[in-house]
Amino acid sequence: MCDTLGFLADGGALFAKNSDRSPNEPQTLEFHPARTGLSGHLRATYISLPEAAETHAALLSRPAWMWGAEMGVNDCGVCIGNEAVFTRGAYAQTGLTGMDLVRLALERSDSAKAALEQIIALLEQYGQGGNCGFDHDFFYDNAFLILDRSALYVLETAGKQWVYKQYQRQSISNRLSIRSEGDACSGGEAIDFCRTFTEPVYTHFSGSRRRRAQTQRCLKTAESVQDCMNALRTHDDCVKNPFARGSVSSVCMHYGGMVGDHTTASMIVSLEPERTVVWATGSSAPCVSLFKPYLFGSAPCAPVFAPDEPQARAYWLSQESFRRALIGKRIPKEYYAARDALEAAWRGAAARAQDAADFAALTAGCAAEEHAFFAQWDPRRFSPAPASRVFFRRWQKKTEALERN
């Protein structure tokens, strides 16, 4: 489960995504430098394929056990996020995962259009498939939001079938949305892609209709990084306290209900005319997390790490201990006010940063300020919130499993 949105504005663009997966699945944020002189084959999550001769540098938010990425941006300003979509017919037991397709396109594409074409070519050659669940089997097809500074595309798929459409601003969730108005589709003849391929039961219970309605409302007036932060922190109107009730229908998804996952990582990419600034939580639950700034191409600094750096997983786990302590608590208003004030100061500092050295100092300072921020709040002192025994039991099982591993 996930939600992705993006829009073009003022010679640049904004991209934002929440990755909703198992609450126990660490997601690492890694900077992968460009590479040249490559040959042979690479091993994706389940299958091998020929390596490209060279790859672009890319910042990838990656489930720790997977080769592919949930979302990311490359050195050409190409941003991609994928969504699980539920389609008619059997899902392939192996192939490229949606996350593999995200990473491959980011590593091999110099524009949004090239990334779109890359995903389509890989999909038609290798197909999509394989179990994408961390602690349970989970098979699905994929949709993608792909953008750069000049174009935004939504690509939706069902097996090897596909359709895409170009937009100025759009959001996607765990459902097909393009009907017969697509710009192009597999086979060449326009069809109502959504009606033809949607599997209705899983699509309905995914909560994606309500979540997409939330991001669509945000898109109507969104202009800034702060607007994107607000969008990714949205809870459904029926959820009064997400730490006392699970909600699959919230963009900021919280585990604990009968169905649904948990937002385990969040990323916003600001494609400014002359630079790319990433704002990332490096943690679950964006509603109580801090979005830290990172200038694309800078030396890795938490929450960004080098590829396969053990500290990346350790960072996510260290953040998670605080969030688990919030289960069944009321978060005081003062917490959110302090969160907003600190982020506002960081956004101001990022806007004033003149060069890479200024930004590197800012990112390093944010890491220290984040540590101090969480140290001043003790969840044991927060008021308890009423929640069902089933809700607590579900979280207890997850936390015990996380501690064992």
Side-chain angles (χ1 to χ4, degrees), residues 5 18 215 218 226-234 251-252:
L5 62 139
N18 275 349
T215 57
C218 292
Q226 182 177 359
D227 292 335
C228 291
M229 291 178 181
N230 294 341
L232 296 185
R233 286 169 168 155
T234 302
V251 174
C252 182

Side-chain angles (χ1 to χ4, degrees), residues 315-334:
Y315 177 86
W316 189 92
L317 290 170
S318 68
Q319 296 272 319
E320 190 63 15
S321 61
F322 179 85
R323 283 142 192 80
R324 296 296 165 104
L326 297 176
I327 301 301
K329 300 291 187 178
R330 299 182 190 274
I331 316 302
K333 293 180 180 179
E334 294 80 7

Side-chain angles (χ1 to χ4, degrees), residues 139-187:
F139 293 82
Y140 49 79
D141 287 329
N142 290 270
F144 306 85
L145 191 149
I146 309 163
L147 66 76
D148 58 19
R149 289 176 173 84
S150 60
L152 185 159
Y153 300 93
V154 170
L155 170 66
E156 298 182 347
T157 72
K160 291 188 176 183
Q161 305 300 307
W162 54 266
V163 64
Y164 75 78
K165 184 172 175 58
Q166 188 171 359
Y167 300 90
Q168 283 293 307
R169 54 178 59 210
Q170 190 55 282
S171 66
I172 59 174
S173 190
N174 304 113
R175 61 191 308 110
L176 299 174
S177 61
I178 301 175
R179 305 194 73 87
S180 56
E181 76 278 11
D183 296 334
C185 64
S186 52

Side-chain angles (χ1 to χ4, degrees), residues 24 60 173:
N24 280 5
L60 305 174
S173 190

Side-chain angles (χ1 to χ4, degrees), residues 16 77 111 122 127 178 189 203 236 246 289:
S111 69
L122 291 166
I178 301 175
E189 185 175 345
T203 298
D236 199 345
S289 298

Side-chain angles (χ1 to χ4, degrees), residues 86 174-176 198-209:
F86 306 106
N174 304 113
R175 61 191 308 110
L176 299 174
T198 292
E199 190 288 315
V201 177
Y202 277 87
T203 298
H204 171 74
F205 284 105
S206 72
S208 57
R209 181 182 297 278

Side-chain angles (χ1 to χ4, degrees), residues 89-101:
Y91 301 116
Q93 295 300 297
T94 191
L96 292 172
T97 67
M99 287 64 72
D100 292 339
L101 291 165

Side-chain angles (χ1 to χ4, degrees), residues 8 50 79 144-146 159 228 239 253 363 390:
L8 310 180
C79 303
F144 306 85
L145 191 149
I146 309 163
C228 291
V239 179
M253 189 177 292
T363 302
V390 173

